[in-house]
Amino acid sequence: MIRTRFAPSPTGYLHIGGARTALFSWAYARHHGGLFVLRIEDTDQERSTLESERAILEGMSWLGLDWDEGPFYQMKRLDRYKAVADQLLADGNAYWCYASKEEIDLLREQQRARNEKPRYDGRWRPETGKTLPTPPAGVTPVLRFKTPSEGAVTFNDLVKGPITVANSELDDLVLVRGDGIPTYNFGVVIDDWDMGITHVIRGDDHVNNTPRQIHLYQALGAPLPVFAHVPMILGHDGERLSKRHGAVSVMQYLEDGYLPEALLNYLARLGWGHGDDEKFSMAQFIAWFDTAHISHAPSRFNQEKLTWLNQHYLKEADNDRLAGLVRPRLTALGVPCDHGPDLSALMGLLKGRVSTINELADAAHIFFVQIEPAAAELQAKLDATGLAAIKSLGDDLATCAWTAEAINDTLKACAKTHGIKLGAIGVPLRLMLFGTAQTPSLDATLLLLGRDETLRRLAALPHATAILNA
């Protein structure tokens, strides 16, 4: 059975790159009828936080990337890592290194000065005929892996193809630190082995780690997973993705009013494609997804494209669902929405005009709170004929049937009676009722606002009343 995993470190939020890695791993498992495992790699005790862990889990849940097993935590598996470390030590595949941090730092500094690649020089590596120094007092050793010194490592990456690295390029990596905590490369191998991970899909910043991990698998006699390294995501300008490009927490997109399905759809298209298809459901993505169509080149994050997708998903979204998303935003803005138009019906009227949930809430609030128009703007939109028409319109709206068709007929009849275009009535009427000249069609807008509220607003605004009574 195919088993994939997502293994974030809880040292920060779930960002766009991590979310895409999770999405690809999740979709690969779902496509093959396999299992998706969530693992929290929390061995960086100085930087790992519960807040980051919660942010990661919240982000995964919001996106709908459900996991079948886990979350598993590395800090709860220390006994297992110790047992494997002891095995490697007993088999002669690992050794204790007593070089201090200061020694290693000096070594690397000297190597850089000679324009050499910084690497451990094997000073504590046991070799035939080599006499090791007496372990110094007061130094807690680290456990290092005895990397093969000859030959090469070759593996077939599902994205990048065959990759070969000479063993002479690799030094003896640290497996266990002095405090007994495993390093990344050691912990990840044991975890993936124990959890039966068959396919490792991750960012290509891990390509250099893969040969080292393969050596560990081979030393342990463990089966190798298949690797797929996905190119990084860049900003729209080709630079490394940062906050100014949108590299923020996934949950920030929730706060900014994006729908999870829009973000998932967009992430799926970042470095993967299915012909010219731009918009598709997650069911379609699962059915289509394969590693063969993951791009070899970095992809570029485009906020405008994401917003475009979100706009399309909003148009199709269920009105009751949108009302549930808008209501807390209105409440946070201090806008009471218990009295006024039906919020779900209002969503149906407005959702085709906005790009985000936040814009939808902003468009909706004028139905619940009366906004005073700028006197100068209102006066600029009203000439003597338009003013006469607006004065008579209130009486007409008070008696007409309150349907969209009847309201529309009333507006047209008023304009015809006064010999003006409908716009000469519509623009100032919108300003008086909503404080803005930009609303959906007046018949649908007034229908939802309601007769009583429409007439109340016409009479309530000081500037509008002054003009109408002039």
Side-chain angles (χ1 to χ4, degrees), residues 74 77-86 182 186-187 190-191:
Q74 289 187 320
R77 291 172 44 79
L78 296 183
D79 289 345
R80 171 60 175 159
Y81 305 132
K82 183 180 184 305
V84 177
D86 290 343
F186 185 44
I190 308 309
D191 291 342

Side-chain angles (χ1 to χ4, degrees), residues 53-75:
E53 179 192 323
R54 283 193 294 267
I56 291 169
L57 297 179
E58 287 175 0
M60 295 279 288
S61 297
W62 179 63
L63 290 172
L65 300 179
D66 54 320
W67 51 91
D68 302 296
E69 296 178 11
F72 299 106
Y73 297 86
Q74 289 187 320
M75 288 303 292

Side-chain angles (χ1 to χ4, degrees), residues 352-399:
R353 303 169 60 87
V354 299
S355 299
T356 68
I357 297 294
N358 291 359
E359 290 179 8
L360 188 55
D362 186 60
H365 92 280
I366 60 176
F367 285 80
F368 300 97
V369 177
Q370 189 170 7
I371 307 298
E372 180 83 21
E377 183 180 9
L378 182 56
Q379 290 170 346
K381 300 298 182 182
L382 272 177
D383 57 19
T385 306
L387 179 59
I390 292 286
K391 285 182 176 181
S392 67
L393 181 63
D395 293 334
D396 297 335
L397 291 174
T399 58

Side-chain angles (χ1 to χ4, degrees), residues 69-135:
E69 296 178 11
F72 299 106
Y73 297 86
Q74 289 187 320
M75 288 303 292
K76 295 181 180 180
R77 291 172 44 79
L78 296 183
D79 289 345
R80 171 60 175 159
Y81 305 132
K82 183 180 184 305
V84 177
D86 290 343
Q87 176 188 336
L88 289 170
L89 193 60
D91 292 342
N93 290 314
Y95 61 92
W96 294 113
C97 171
Y98 290 86
S100 66
K101 180 181 183 301
E102 291 72 22
E103 282 184 75
I104 297 299
D105 288 343
L106 177 60
L107 171 65
R108 290 171 177 167
E109 183 181 329
Q110 292 170 339
Q111 290 170 330
R112 290 191 188 97
R114 298 192 297 267
N115 292 320
E116 297 174 0
K117 178 180 178 180
R119 51 183 290 135
Y120 176 66
D121 61 0
R123 61 185 61 182
W124 285 94
R125 176 177 172 133
E127 301 284 6
T128 302
K130 177 180 179 180
T131 302
L132 296 176
T134 301

Side-chain angles (χ1 to χ4, degrees), residues 128-170:
T128 302
K130 177 180 179 180
T131 302
L132 296 176
T134 301
V139 175
T140 302
V142 299
L143 187 69
R144 288 187 181 271
F145 180 69
K146 195 174 182 180
T147 302
S149 56
E150 298 179 352
V153 177
T154 297
F155 65 98
N156 186 46
D157 190 283
L158 291 182
V159 176
K160 298 179 175 297
I163 295 176
T164 298
V165 177
N167 288 334
S168 58
E169 292 294 313
L170 308 173

Side-chain angles (χ1 to χ4, degrees), residues 9 21 26 72 100 106 173 175 178 184 229 252 277 292 304 318 321 328 340 366 368 370 411 413 437 443 463:
S9 175
T21 298
W26 173 84
F72 299 106
S100 66
L106 177 60
L173 78 154
L175 299 177
Y184 165 76
H229 290 92
Q252 184 64 49
D277 293 291
E304 292 180 358
D318 177 76
R321 176 193 176 196
I366 60 176
F368 300 97
Q370 189 170 7
L411 292 168
D443 53 359
H463 293 315

Side-chain angles (χ1 to χ4, degrees), residues 48-316:
S48 295
T49 66
L50 289 175
E51 182 182 4
S52 294
E53 179 192 323
R54 283 193 294 267
I56 291 169
L57 297 179
E58 287 175 0
M60 295 279 288
S61 297
W62 179 63
L63 290 172
L65 300 179
D66 54 320
W67 51 91
D68 302 296
E69 296 178 11
F72 299 106
Y73 297 86
Q74 289 187 320
M75 288 303 292
K76 295 181 180 180
R77 291 172 44 79
L78 296 183
D79 289 345
R80 171 60 175 159
Y81 305 132
K82 183 180 184 305
V84 177
D86 290 343
Q87 176 188 336
L88 289 170
L89 193 60
D91 292 342
N93 290 314
Y95 61 92
W96 294 113
C97 171
Y98 290 86
S100 66
K101 180 181 183 301
E102 291 72 22
E103 282 184 75
I104 297 299
D105 288 343
L106 177 60
L107 171 65
R108 290 171 177 167
E109 183 181 329
Q110 292 170 339
Q111 290 170 330
R112 290 191 188 97
R114 298 192 297 267
N115 292 320
E116 297 174 0
K117 178 180 178 180
R119 51 183 290 135
Y120 176 66
D121 61 0
R123 61 185 61 182
W124 285 94
R125 176 177 172 133
E127 301 284 6
T128 302
K130 177 180 179 180
T131 302
L132 296 176
T134 301
V139 175
T140 302
V142 299
L143 187 69
R144 288 187 181 271
F145 180 69
K146 195 174 182 180
T147 302
S149 56
E150 298 179 352
V153 177
T154 297
F155 65 98
N156 186 46
D157 190 283
L158 291 182
V159 176
K160 298 179 175 297
I163 295 176
T164 298
V165 177
N167 288 334
S168 58
E169 292 294 313
L170 308 173
D171 59 2
D172 293 351
L173 78 154
V174 175
L175 299 177
V176 181
R177 304 183 185 94
D179 59 4
I181 304 296
T183 59
Y184 165 76
N185 280 304
F186 185 44
V188 74
V189 167
I190 308 309
D191 291 342
D192 285 344
W193 178 25
D194 288 352
M195 296 172 191
I197 303 303
T198 61
H199 291 72
V200 174
I201 301 174
R202 58 189 179 188
D204 63 2
D205 52 331
H206 288 290
V207 168
N208 291 337
N209 291 323
T210 305
R212 299 178 179 278
Q213 294 172 9
I214 289 176
H215 278 310
L216 279 169
Y217 280 108
Q218 292 172 339
L220 294 167
L224 278 178
V226 178
F227 294 96
H229 290 92
V230 182
M232 69 173 60
I233 301 173
L234 302 176
H236 59 84
D237 53 4
E239 298 296 324
R240 188 176 183 87
L241 194 63
S242 64
K243 288 185 178 181
R244 66 187 178 88
H245 298 109
V248 295
S249 167
V250 162
M251 298 307 288
Q252 184 64 49
Y253 290 97
L254 166 63
E255 294 182 22
D256 290 345
Y258 289 86
L259 295 175
E261 57 266 38
L263 184 56
L264 282 173
N265 189 157
Y266 182 69
L267 289 178
R269 289 287 288 115
L270 273 180
W272 175 89
H274 185 268
D276 295 327
D277 293 291
E278 291 287 350
K279 183 175 176 293
F280 42 80
S281 68
M282 280 300 99
Q284 289 174 308
F285 178 55
I286 289 170
W288 294 340
F289 183 71
D290 60 7
T291 56
H293 290 89
I294 295 177
S295 172
H296 293 192
S299 51
R300 297 195 180 195
F301 185 83
N302 186 318
Q303 185 75 35
E304 292 180 358
K305 187 65 172 291
L306 169 59
T307 302
W308 174 84
L309 265 177
N310 199 63
Q311 183 179 35
H312 283 271
Y313 276 101
L314 279 173
K315 290 179 182 179
E316 301 172 358

